[in-house]
């Protein structure tokens, strides 16, 4: 019985859900066999055994004796109880999910269907009037709301086709319009997701891409495309399908994103926000995009959107610190570091992440000795941080004009070239950084303006290099 489906399902219940399930089994309205004590005994015993980790108490003989005390064993009796109890548990799960996800409008729609079946047209009409008020306020609408909106219009069609037969369009036009809005909201969401993925790892052929874009034009629902959501989708798709979108197009997208934050659903706002962040990351060499990127990341931190159960991912933590320092927001970055020292989630200990970014902070604030001390006394397990630590060390040694800089550049180049865990793209960027530094630190470079100009031109010709922004400044 230990490996039964019932036990595995009950294993997932938290303390509050366990308590509600016990009440559910006691309810004559919810449970047909509520007068029978056996299902309640079975569930309570399983919860007790799981909570106290007495797994042996789930042995068949022990279970039978607890559920049917003093009764002789009967073949298949316990198995049948497991089966009927499992059905009741599944009913409880249905009820739980319905109560969590059911909106007031959805409850009204179910009431309207009830009264329509009863032939009570007056009460049905009153409910649809209330639903009409909800439909006019399209704040925070996402998939569920657009789907519910279509169900309401379809329900209104069912009602009118019975009550107002042959007197008007029976609500068919509004039903069709709601269906188009539902389709477009879903179609454009997945289109943006595909195009964003295609930017990083091409998965679409030219034919697929052309077809995907052309299909976003249908149906031509002008009401939807003039809504905040429709405007943002169109701008996002336009940017994602151009090799070099203009700054004005992105500025327009960013403007509407900020303007309509309070009426977009949280998940969709986060989706658009992530797209904006990715776009800015690809254009960090442009100062204006750096400022926008910091604003986006700062808002995510201050509004808690990049925290999951109080933790922030190491990659996002790194982005926040790096962009904040590039923008000269030293006080804000310091407070962010201190507040989240123990909240960094990744493959290594939170303290290792913190110390690396502390070294980065000291570097940007000119405390180079402190930065180097922290950097050289910390071990990094994660490859990205091993790479970043070597690059930061080279930058510090360059700033202090250290004699060991050439040797450290050569060692870093060997590491980047030989390390098999580094992706080819990152390997290329890092090796170019090492090669560039070799030429930059040659004694003849400092006294030869022509060589310096050639190095700067190299950065313009091929900007795929680690620490591009810092190299241009130096």
């Amino acid at each position: 019985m230990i490996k039964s489906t019932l036990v595995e399902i009950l294993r997932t219940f938290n303390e509050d859900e366990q308590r509600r399930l016990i009440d559910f089994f006691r309810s004559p309205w919810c449970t047909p066999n509520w007068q029978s004590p056996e299902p309640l005994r079975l569930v309570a015993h399983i919860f007790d055994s799981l909570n106290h980790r007495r797994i042996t108490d789930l042995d068949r003989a022990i279970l039978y004796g607890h559920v049917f005390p003093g009764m002789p064993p009967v073949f298949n009796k316990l198995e049948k109880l497991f089966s009927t109890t499992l059905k009741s548990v599944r009913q409880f799960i249905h009820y739980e999910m319905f109560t969590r996800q059911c909106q007031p409008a959805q409850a009204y729609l179910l009431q309207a269907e009830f009264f329509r079946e009863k032939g009570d047209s007056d009460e049905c009409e009153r409910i649809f009037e209330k639903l009409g008020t909800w439909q006019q306020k399209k704040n925070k609408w996402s998939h569920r709301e657009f789907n519910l909106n279509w169900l309401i219009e379809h329900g209104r069609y069912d009602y009118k086709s019975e009550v107002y037969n042959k007197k008007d369009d029976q609500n068919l036009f509004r039903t069709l319009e709601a269906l188009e809005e539902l389709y477009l909201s879903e179609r454009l969401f997945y289109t943006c997701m595909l195009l964003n993925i295609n930017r990083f790892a091409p998965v679409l052929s030219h034919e697929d891409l052309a077809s995907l874009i052309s299909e976003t034009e249908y149906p031509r629902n002008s009401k939807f495309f003039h809504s905040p959501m429709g405007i943002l989708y169109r701008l996002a798709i336009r940017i994602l399908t151009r090799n070099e979108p203009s700054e004005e197009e992105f500025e327009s997208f960013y403007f509407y994103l900020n303007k309509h934050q309070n009426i977009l659903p949280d998940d969709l706002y986060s989706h658009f926000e992530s797209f904006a962040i990715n776009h800015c990351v690809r254009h960090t060499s442009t100062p204006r995009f750096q400022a926008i990127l910091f604003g986006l990341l700062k808002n995510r931190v201050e509004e808690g959107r990049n925290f999951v159960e109080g933790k922030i991912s190491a990659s996002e933590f790194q982005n926040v610190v790096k962009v904040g320092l590039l923008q000269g927001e030293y006080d804000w970055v310091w407070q962010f570091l201190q507040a989240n020292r123990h909240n960094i989630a990744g493959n290594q200990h939170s303290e290792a992440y913190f110390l690396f970014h502390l070294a980065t902070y000291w570097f940007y604030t000119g405390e180079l000795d402190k930065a180097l001390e922290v950097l050289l006394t910390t071990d990094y397990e994660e490859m990205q941080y091993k790479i970043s630590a070597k690059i930061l060390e080279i930058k510090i040694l360059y700033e202090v004009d250290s004699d060991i800089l050439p040797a450290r550049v050569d060692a870093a180049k060997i590491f980047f070239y030989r390390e098999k865990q580094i992706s080819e793209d990152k390997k290329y960027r890092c090796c170019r950084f090492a090669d560039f530094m070799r030429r930059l630190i040659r004694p003849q470079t400092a006294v030869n303006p022509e060589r310096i100009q050639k190095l700067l031109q190299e950065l313009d010709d091929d900007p795929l290099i680690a620490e591009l922004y810092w190299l241009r400044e130096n």
Side-chain angles (χ1 to χ4, degrees), residues 5-16:
T5 302
L6 177 62
V7 172
E8 292 305 314
I9 289 176
L10 294 182
R11 194 189 300 274
T12 66
F13 282 42
N14 60 36
E15 187 176 331
D16 289 337

Side-chain angles (χ1 to χ4, degrees), residues 35 55 171-172 198 211 234 250-251 261 358 367 377:
Q35 290 180 310
I55 305 303
N171 204 57
L172 285 170
N198 197 59
S211 176
R234 277 206 158 160
F250 183 77
E251 292 272 2
Q261 177 178 358
L358 182 62
E367 301 278 358
T377 55

